[in-house]
């Protein structure tokens, strides 16, 4: 559904946005921009109008490649790509999965209706410029009426093909946009604003970027009944604790005075059940659970994202817990809180 935004009295934007979801759907932005004087207050003008449809996508072979991919490394399984950002560390680097996560194409179309003369003149100049650099001889590309742009790259060479209204320009260079590696959350980690701890099967990467192979002896030092402590806020006012159940049976999270438990046993993919304090069972399919309920300011909320990853957002300290509902988990934490944390994620054992 297009949502109108009245940017200025003479400018109105209708837009609908869908993010790129790995293995499911491309990024898309559709809508139109209208600008003109209107006699009705807070009403968008009908024309002039620019209608747009922009999308970018991963390579077409991604689904087939992902299905047959076997890294042969339990510490670097393909399933880490479901988390955002994926817990890359050590020999498990983003380059290993670059063919699956690098954007290979962008498609954009613009249609112009009843534009003012100054806009048409600018489009005429753009038409002459592009027509002059297109390898084949063309008189006009009709850019004043519409603009269709298709940008295509391939993993196997360093070229970029840009097609504008049917005229193709070849550029001997390319810009690689990795949808997972260049995600804003990953940038926040790279710049030091966010710290991440992850557990991939038995490989632990701490908040201090140390890689530790978990052993029964190491788990024993952080054991609590049938769980072991991955990370906890050990300040005077604890706001978060994350425990992993033994034998990769699930996850238990303490936050906002509540225990949130997800156990793999007896779970069905279609009906993922969350246990709240042994008092309430929540089916997370198409549901966002938050506490306190129906409040604008809440302590935490839990949901399944578009890639079926269990997400807990803790508003008390800004932490985000991700769990693939099998054997991969990560904790994103504002770096300013890292010094308060204890547990395996804060250990400095080499």
């Amino acid at each position: 559904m297009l949502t109108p935004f009245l940017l200025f009295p003479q400018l109105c934007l209708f837009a609908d946005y869908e993010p790129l979801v790995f293995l499911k759907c491309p990024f898309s932005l559709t809508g139109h921009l209208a600008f003109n004087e209107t006699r009705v207050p807070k009403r968008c003008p009908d024309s002039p109008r620019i209608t747009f449809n922009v999308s970018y996508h991963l390579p077409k072979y991604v689904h087939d490649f992902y299905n047959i991919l076997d890294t042969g490394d339990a510490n670097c399984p393909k399933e880490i790509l479901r988390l955002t950002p994926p817990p890359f560390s050590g020999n498990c680097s983003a380059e290993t999965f670059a063919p699956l996560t690098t954007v290979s194409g962008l498609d954009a179309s613009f249609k112009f209706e009843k534009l003012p003369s100054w806009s048409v003149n600018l489009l005429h100049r753009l038409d002459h410029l592009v027509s002059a650099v297109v390898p084949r001889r063309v008189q006009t590309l009709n850019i004043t009426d519409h603009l269709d742009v298709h940008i295509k790259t391939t993993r196997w060479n360093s070229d970029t093909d840009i097609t504008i209204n049917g005229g193709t320009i070849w550029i001997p260079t390319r810009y690689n946009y990795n949808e997972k590696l260049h995600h804003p959350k990953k940038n926040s980690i790279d710049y030091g604003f966010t710290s991440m701890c992850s557990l991939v099967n038995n490989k632990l990467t701490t908040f201090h970027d140390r890689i530790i192979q978990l052993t029964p002896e190491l788990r024993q030092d952080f054991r609590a009944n049938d769980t072991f402590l991955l990370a906890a806020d050990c300040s005077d006012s604890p706001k978060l604790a994350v425990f992993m159940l033994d034998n990769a049976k699930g996850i238990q999270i303490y936050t906002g005075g509540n225990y949130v438990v997800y156990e793999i046993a007896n779970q069905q993919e279609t009906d993922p059940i969350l246990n709240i304090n042994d008092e309430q069972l929540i089916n997370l399919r198409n549901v966002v659970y938050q506490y306190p309920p129906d409040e604008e300011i809440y302590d935490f909320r839990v949901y399944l994202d578009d890639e079926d990853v269990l997400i807990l957002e803790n508003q008390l300290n800004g932490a985000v817990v991700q769990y693939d509902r099998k054997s991969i988990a990560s904790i994103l934490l504002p770096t300013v809180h890292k010094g308060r944390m204890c547990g395996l994620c804060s250990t400095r054992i080499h």
Side-chain angles (χ1 to χ4, degrees):
M1 180 178 180
L2 298 182
T3 303
F5 298 93
L6 189 61
L7 303 179
F8 298 101
Q10 298 178 348
L11 182 63
C12 196
L13 172 67
F14 292 76
D16 189 21
Y17 157 78
E18 291 291 340
L20 186 150
V21 180
F22 183 62
L23 298 181
K24 290 188 177 181
C25 65
F27 166 92
S28 67
L29 177 66
T30 59
H32 69 263
L33 180 70
F35 51 97
N36 204 347
E37 293 185 3
T38 176
R39 296 180 180 180
V40 181
K42 296 184 179 180
R43 180 175 177 179
C44 295
D46 295 325
S47 62
R49 174 180 296 197
I50 301 175
T51 303
F52 56 86
N53 186 339
V54 180
S55 68
Y56 64 77
H57 52 82
L58 300 176
K60 294 181 179 179
Y61 59 75
V62 163
H63 285 83
D64 293 337
F65 194 177
Y66 182 86
N67 289 335
I68 65 174
L69 178 64
D70 182 3
T71 63
D73 184 356
N75 293 328
C76 189
K78 63 185 179 183
E79 286 77 14
I80 66 173
L81 295 177
R82 294 175 56 204
L83 276 64
T84 304
F88 300 125
S89 64
N91 294 328
C92 187
S93 67
E95 279 301 313
T96 304
F97 303 100
L100 291 171
T101 57
T102 301
V103 171
S104 63
L106 180 144
D107 301 307
S109 64
F110 302 87
K111 185 177 180 181
F112 310 115
E113 300 177 40
K114 300 180 180 180
L115 295 185
S117 58
W118 63 268
S119 300
V120 175
N121 289 334
L122 287 176
L123 291 173
H124 267 301
R125 293 177 182 273
L126 177 62
D127 194 319
H128 289 313
L129 175 63
V130 176
S131 299
V133 298
V134 169
R136 62 184 179 86
R137 188 179 183 86
V138 294
Q139 294 296 325
T140 179
L141 293 172
N142 298 316
I143 291 179
T144 54
D145 176 63
H146 68 282
L147 177 62
D148 292 329
V149 180
H150 304 280
I151 302 176
K152 182 175 67 174
T153 63
T154 63
R155 171 69 180 167
W156 319 115
N157 60 47
S158 300
D159 303 334
T160 300
D161 292 335
I162 303 177
T163 301
I164 301 176
N165 285 14
T168 301
I169 304 170
W170 171 75
I171 300 177
T173 186
R174 62 174 292 170
Y175 170 72
N176 291 325
Y177 177 74
N178 190 309
E179 192 270 333
K180 291 288 186 177
L181 183 61
H182 297 146
H183 192 278
K185 290 182 180 179
K186 181 63 169 64
N187 293 336
S188 181
I189 294 172
D190 293 340
Y191 286 108
F193 299 116
T194 302
S195 297
M196 181 168 71
C197 174
S198 64
L199 180 65
V200 180
N201 293 315
N202 288 319
K203 185 184 76 170
L204 174 75
T205 304
T206 71
F207 286 129
H208 306 284
D209 295 326
R210 288 178 170 82
I211 299 175
I212 301 171
Q213 198 68 26
L214 284 188
T215 62
E217 294 76 19
L218 184 56
R219 284 193 180 93
Q220 189 63 36
D221 294 336
F222 297 90
R223 180 163 299 285
N225 298 322
D226 58 348
T227 69
F228 58 91
L229 178 62
L230 193 60
D233 177 358
C234 289
S235 64
D236 294 336
S237 302
K239 298 177 175 62
L240 176 72
V242 180
F243 300 86
M244 302 303 297
L245 276 62
D246 287 339
N247 302 315
K249 291 182 178 179
I251 192 170
Q252 177 177 294
I253 304 170
Y254 169 83
T255 178
N258 296 271
Y259 274 100
V260 178
V261 182
Y262 182 90
E263 294 187 73
I264 296 176
N266 302 320
Q267 288 278 4
Q268 297 181 8
E269 285 292 320
T270 55
D271 296 309
I273 304 299
L274 197 69
N275 186 325
I276 310 294
N277 297 323
D278 283 333
E279 298 174 353
Q280 189 177 10
L281 299 179
I282 304 295
N283 187 334
L284 285 180
R285 185 62 61 189
N286 300 320
V287 170
V288 176
Y289 174 82
Q290 75 170 44
Y291 178 85
D294 304 321
E295 296 286 341
E296 291 186 10
I297 300 177
Y298 53 88
D299 293 346
F300 70 92
R301 66 176 183 173
V302 192
Y303 59 92
L304 295 181
D305 70 4
D306 291 328
E307 298 183 39
D308 278 343
V309 174
L310 179 71
I311 306 291
L312 183 141
E313 297 176 352
N314 185 335
Q315 296 297 309
L316 300 176
N317 66 353
V320 177
V321 180
Q322 300 183 82
Y323 177 53
D324 79 334
R325 299 192 285 150
K326 291 182 180 178
S327 59
I328 301 173
S330 74
I331 303 171
L332 300 173
L333 180 76
T335 300
V336 294
H337 298 305
K338 186 170 67 172
R340 305 175 185 175
M341 304 301 288
C342 57
L344 282 164
C345 283
S346 297
T347 185
R348 295 180 180 271
I349 298 174
H350 290 277

